[in-house]
Amino acid sequence: MRDAIARALTWVLTVLPWTRRPAPGRHSVAHFAQQATREPVTVNPWRKPWQGPSSATVREIFHAEEVRSLTPEQRERWWAAAFSAIDVDYDFPTINITGAHRTVSA
């Protein structure tokens, strides 16, 4: 019985307009007023210099003479080791990509 009385009392208090508090958060008037007065922040990605290796360095790694005689698995390991020597994470392995150039005969 106490639960029913408590639920009825809270419902009555939420219906009465003078017992409501303004909703704090993103949907309040104060938040929208603050957003309207704030200037938008624009970030130019070209202001920050390139942090990775140059294209010439990457080209030297991929077209090295000692890589040509290796198997694909060894080639991937060699490329990963060469990139790790210049502190670059080699996260684009091509060893698992198969069947792109092959034709399947039925």
Side-chain angles (χ1 to χ4, degrees):
M1 184 68 175
R2 280 189 241 159
D3 288 338
I5 295 170
R7 276 193 298 249
L9 184 59
T10 55
W11 181 81
V12 168
L13 290 176
T14 57
V15 171
L16 297 174
W18 59 83
T19 60
R20 292 185 192 167
R21 286 189 244 155
R26 294 188 308 165
H27 302 289
S28 65
V29 175
H31 176 74
F32 285 123
Q34 181 184 8
Q35 293 295 324
T37 58
R38 189 184 311 172
E39 292 191 22
V41 178
T42 56
V43 178
N44 187 354
W46 298 106
R47 298 192 96 203
K48 184 178 174 184
W50 176 253
Q51 301 294 320
S54 67
S55 62
T57 306
V58 173
R59 217 174 285 119
E60 288 174 7
I61 292 172
F62 281 120
H63 298 293
E65 285 290 326
E66 53 267 5
V67 175
R68 294 183 183 179
S69 63
L70 300 176
T71 65
E73 291 86 6
Q74 292 171 334
R75 196 177 311 136
E76 287 289 330
R77 290 184 189 126
W78 193 91
W79 287 338
F83 278 113
S84 69
I86 59 172
D87 293 329
V88 175
D89 186 24
Y90 179 64
D91 58 351
F92 298 105
T94 57
I95 197 68
N96 293 329
I97 300 174
T98 58
H101 61 280
R102 296 180 188 168
T103 57
V104 177
S105 58

